[in-house]
Amino acid sequence: MIETPYLLFLGDAPDQLSAKVAQGIKDWRPENSVGQLSLPGCGTDVGLKEMTLAEAKEAGAKTLVIGVANRGGIISQAWKEVLIEAIEMGYDLASGLHNLLRDEGDLVAAAQVNGTTLHDVRVPTVGYPIANGIKRTGKRCLAVGTDCSAGKMYTALAMDKVMQERGLKSTFRATGQTGILITGHGVPLDAVVADFMAGAVEYLTPDNDEDHWDMIEGQGSLFHVSYSGVTMALVHGGQPDALILCHEPTRKHMRGLPTFTPPTLETLRDTALPLAQVGNPNCKVVGISVNTQHMSEDEANAYLKETEERMGLPTVDPYRHGAERLVDALAAI
Amino acid sequence: MIETPYLLFLGDAPDQLSAKVAQGIKDWRPENSVGQLSLPGCGTDVGLKEMTLAEAKEAGAKTLVIGVANRGGIISQAWKEVLIEAIEMGYDLASGLHNLLRDEGDLVAAAQVNGTTLHDVRVPTVGYPIANGIKRTGKRCLAVGTDCSAGKMYTALAMDKVMQERGLKSTFRATGQTGILITGHGVPLDAVVADFMAGAVEYLTPDNDEDHWDMIEGQGSLFHVSYSGVTMALVHGGQPDALILCHEPTRKHMRGLPTFTPPTLETLRDTALPLAQVGNPNCKVVGISVNTQHMSEDEANAYLKETEERMGLPTVDPYRHGAERLVDALAAI
């Protein structure tokens, strides 16, 4: 559990894309951040108030979150001065970089002296159990994709937001670095040891009120040969009651796999649903989330309409049009 | 790579079952062991010549393999005297126990002083890559089961043995502790970090001669919610050309999951084949391996005959009747 509120460290991020972790926190949990901190030369801005470490501390910030991914995921020397100063002022640090905070001797030493915590969200800190498959109370929704990076995290966050707005019981359950930094907790599933993957998902989505929904962040794809095992652990460990199919229609090949063609939505449905029903016989496919970012408004609307008619399921781009109809579909379960 | 030949350490194993690792080595790679070493009170025997450490050393033994699993998988104090003496005589040690050799200070110290190696085969020692899905040369066969412990390792070892006897090119590829100790190398797949599982399988089964078969040891089951992610990584990382369906017909529920019913062979076929064809469009289901150990000879024969007619695939219990017909089926690909 990472203590909030945060101060978001943008460092010397060259562009908007490199600050996507900070942007995600700002977009989805604006209440979790008091401000942002940039270094000279920073080429981006997530729209929060620029603050010094002292100003943010005064405003209540508990954790300095590294909200930027630089080339190679390393912790640059240019950042070190600020990070150590933050530790000395009592900040915890949180990072999702490949280069772990705990591998930097000067940060570790400073944290020990000042009694603060270094959170490397890529590294599991819990001894997860082996999954037992026992049916849990409450309900769970999982987004599954025809490919990686098809909008699964965005879909789960957008649905959770609508649920909250409607006063329904919902919790976004993070399974990746960005999601964990956004919400302050979760399971870094791709870093969990194989035997414990499904158990980690069970741990993440425990018994709950009968009318509570866990909106589980998906990972990988059942059709992506590099990561399908991680997806499978979510499909079985998550015991989903509802699946949302996620698709990016303009993709020519599977991400990082030039010779692999993405499956159709029909194939995804016919593959994912029977597998999910092994863990939860009542699971249903309830809706489709399409990432239309590379389509014009007209193209997007035509594609969504055609897909909805063909598949017989509510079909939306939650970024363009909101996730309301997907949440409506959940209510019917 | 664990150096052979071995001396098999049986310790104070109370019964045959607790010495199954030693028995597996004796059954499948008899040429890898010069003898066995028991402690007073040992209640089993794998049929090798009983030897002292000195006698086995004289006979060429390089590694003392802990061939016994005791309660809790721990390294008992009663064993320590022998293990340290072995290290001092220049033996490497190899173990698949949960309790790692490397966590025992006295063994580590002795190994350092004497320049010998401690092999904990549960722990990956290679930095496996992310899978790239690129088609590899050579052929691969994977056993998939309706449940865990349905005979997948036995099937792959038995098929490999027949291939060797026929002078065909075949390599058994171990993916679990017992398999690794039997052959001296492999990947402990259930201990690999999630993101690297499929890459570890690619690493294990590299490019090879066009007429060479990797007989890949299966793990878990696509229908076992605790371990299905590991199985999925084998189905995609292994790029199998041939699948063997493995089944234990008397099982009432999935192993360790009292409320889960094993699927039929038809369901296993219809689930595993399309998933395998994502990684290798030419994959085929070529045969069925049934574990009939809990059936009489008549029951077994009737079940095998009925299944073969129903499924239209060669169906054998390789333990009762040999794996010849499964290897014949490979030859047709």
Side-chain angles (χ1 to χ4, degrees):
Chain A
M1 195 70 149
I2 304 169
E3 279 202 81
T4 55
Y6 304 152
L7 173 62
L8 301 183
F9 180 69
L10 303 181
D12 43 6
D15 51 33
Q16 198 67 20
L17 193 64
S18 60
K20 73 172 190 171
V21 170
Q23 192 65 53
I25 297 170
K26 159 63 166 49
D27 288 347
W28 296 107
R29 292 290 184 277
E31 70 278 15
N32 277 359
S33 301
V34 302
Q36 66 182 40
L37 191 166
S38 312
L39 293 182
C42 181
T44 187
D45 181 333
V46 297
L48 290 172
K49 189 175 170 195
E50 184 75 23
M51 287 185 173
T52 65
L53 288 171
E55 287 165 351
K57 192 80 191 166
E58 182 67 28
K62 300 275 201 298
T63 304
L64 183 70
V65 172
I66 299 182
V68 54
N70 54 6
R71 201 177 296 262
I74 63 161
I75 298 165
S76 82
Q77 284 303 322
W79 297 0
K80 278 289 182 67
E81 198 178 321
V82 180
L83 300 184
I84 289 175
E85 191 186 343
I87 292 170
E88 289 170 349
M89 292 173 66
Y91 280 92
D92 291 342
L93 300 189
S95 161
L97 299 176
H98 275 287
N99 180 178
L100 303 181
L101 299 170
R102 72 182 61 175
D103 289 342
E104 298 297 308
D106 44 4
L107 299 182
V108 172
Q112 282 178 351
V113 168
N114 294 280
T116 69
T117 304
L118 305 178
H119 296 281
D120 287 302
V121 302
R122 277 186 186 271
V123 183
T125 53
V126 173
Y128 301 113
I130 301 276
N132 62 29
I134 295 172
K135 186 77 179 82
R136 304 190 291 289
T137 53
K139 295 198 180 296
R140 286 157 198 87
C141 176
L142 175 67
V144 291
T146 49
D147 191 4
C148 298
S149 309
K152 296 184 301 296
M153 183 180 80
Y154 191 98
T155 300
L157 281 163
M159 290 178 71
D160 174 60
K161 188 154 181 270
V162 172
M163 300 277 285
Q164 303 288 343
E165 288 166 357
R166 293 186 182 177
L168 300 171
K169 295 178 189 169
S170 167
T171 309
F172 171 74
R173 299 297 190 182
T175 61
Q177 288 78 33
T178 304
I180 294 171
L181 287 172
I182 288 175
T183 59
H185 52 90
V187 167
L189 194 58
D190 59 12
V192 172
V193 164
D195 249 3
F196 303 97
M197 293 186 298
V201 181
E202 291 188 350
Y203 168 93
L204 180 68
T205 59
D207 280 330
N208 215 317
D209 297 343
E210 283 301 349
D211 58 346
H212 176 279
W213 281 88
D214 278 327
M215 307 303 306
I216 307 173
E217 180 190 354
Q219 294 294 333
S221 164
L222 291 169
F223 296 87
H224 196 293
V225 296
S226 310
Y227 307 117
S228 53
V230 182
T231 314
M232 190 70 156
L234 280 160
V235 168
H236 281 167
Q239 290 182 356
D241 299 273
L243 296 176
I244 306 286
L245 309 181
C246 295
H247 188 51
E248 205 284 63
T250 68
R251 209 161 288 179
K252 296 281 178 283
H253 62 75
M254 297 291 284
R255 197 174 168 93
L257 304 175
T259 63
F260 287 79
T261 307
T264 63
L265 281 163
E266 284 86 344
T267 301
L268 174 61
R269 175 194 64 200
D270 296 344
T271 303
L273 184 59
L275 288 171
Q277 288 174 335
V278 169
N280 181 352
N282 297 318
C283 185
K284 292 184 175 59
V285 176
V286 301
I288 298 173
S289 173
V290 182
N291 177 344
T292 64
Q293 67 175 316
H294 299 299
M295 302 168 99
S296 71
E297 185 74 21
D298 284 350
E299 283 171 336
N301 287 332
Y303 184 86
L304 292 169
K305 181 164 181 291
E306 184 276 322
T307 303
E308 176 151 344
E309 286 170 7
R310 196 178 87 234
M311 301 288 291
L313 289 166
T315 303
V316 302
D317 180 338
Y319 186 83
R320 284 199 179 197
H321 308 120
E324 282 76 6
R325 293 185 61 222
L326 298 178
V327 171
D328 295 345
L330 281 192
I333 285 195
Chain B
M1 197 68 149
I2 305 169
E3 279 201 82
T4 56
Y6 304 152
L7 173 62
L8 301 183
F9 180 68
L10 302 182
D12 43 6
D15 52 34
Q16 198 66 19
L17 193 63
S18 60
K20 74 172 190 173
V21 170
Q23 191 66 52
I25 297 170
K26 158 65 165 51
D27 288 348
W28 296 108
R29 292 292 184 276
E31 70 278 16
N32 277 0
S33 301
V34 301
Q36 65 183 42
L37 190 167
S38 313
L39 293 182
C42 181
T44 187
D45 180 333
V46 297
L48 290 171
K49 188 175 171 198
E50 184 75 24
M51 287 185 171
T52 65
L53 288 170
E55 287 166 352
K57 191 81 191 165
E58 182 67 29
K62 300 275 202 298
T63 303
L64 183 69
V65 172
I66 299 182
V68 55
N70 53 6
R71 201 178 295 261
I74 63 161
I75 298 165
S76 82
Q77 285 303 321
W79 297 359
K80 279 289 181 68
E81 196 178 322
V82 179
L83 300 184
I84 290 175
E85 190 186 344
I87 292 170
E88 288 171 351
M89 292 172 65
Y91 280 93
D92 292 341
L93 300 189
S95 162
L97 298 177
H98 273 287
N99 180 178
L100 304 181
L101 299 170
R102 70 180 64 174
D103 289 341
E104 299 296 307
D106 45 3
L107 299 182
V108 172
Q112 282 178 353
V113 168
N114 293 280
T116 69
T117 302
L118 305 179
H119 296 280
D120 287 302
V121 301
R122 278 186 186 269
V123 183
T125 52
V126 173
Y128 301 113
I130 301 276
N132 62 29
I134 295 170
K135 186 78 179 79
R136 304 190 291 288
T137 52
K139 294 196 182 297
R140 286 155 199 88
C141 176
L142 175 67
V144 292
T146 50
D147 192 3
C148 300
S149 309
K152 297 184 300 296
M153 182 180 82
Y154 192 99
T155 301
L157 281 163
M159 290 177 71
D160 174 60
K161 188 156 181 269
V162 172
M163 301 277 286
Q164 304 289 343
E165 287 165 359
R166 293 186 181 176
L168 300 171
K169 295 179 188 169
S170 167
T171 308
F172 171 74
R173 299 297 189 183
T175 61
Q177 288 78 32
T178 304
I180 295 171
L181 287 172
I182 288 175
T183 58
H185 52 88
V187 167
L189 193 58
D190 60 11
V192 171
V193 165
D195 249 2
F196 303 96
M197 294 185 298
V201 181
E202 290 187 350
Y203 168 94
L204 180 68
T205 58
D207 280 330
N208 215 317
D209 296 345
E210 284 301 348
D211 58 347
H212 176 277
W213 281 88
D214 278 327
M215 306 304 306
I216 307 173
E217 180 190 355
Q219 293 293 333
S221 164
L222 292 169
F223 295 87
H224 195 294
V225 296
S226 311
Y227 307 116
S228 53
V230 182
T231 314
M232 191 69 156
L234 280 160
V235 168
H236 281 167
Q239 289 181 359
D241 299 273
L243 296 177
I244 305 287
L245 309 181
C246 295
H247 189 48
E248 204 285 62
T250 69
R251 207 162 288 179
K252 295 282 177 282
H253 63 76
M254 297 292 283
R255 194 175 171 92
L257 304 175
T259 63
F260 288 79
T261 307
T264 62
L265 281 163
E266 284 87 344
T267 301
L268 173 62
R269 174 195 65 200
D270 295 345
T271 303
L273 184 60
L275 288 172
Q277 287 175 336
V278 170
N280 182 352
N282 297 319
C283 185
K284 292 185 176 59
V285 176
V286 301
I288 299 174
S289 172
V290 181
N291 176 344
T292 63
Q293 65 177 316
H294 299 299
M295 302 168 100
S296 71
E297 184 75 20
D298 283 352
E299 284 170 338
N301 287 332
Y303 184 87
L304 292 168
K305 182 165 181 289
E306 185 277 321
T307 303
E308 176 150 344
E309 286 170 7
R310 195 179 88 234
M311 301 288 292
L313 289 165
T315 303
V316 301
D317 180 338
Y319 186 82
R320 284 199 179 198
H321 308 120
E324 282 76 5
R325 294 185 61 222
L326 298 178
V327 171
D328 294 344
L330 281 192
I333 286 196

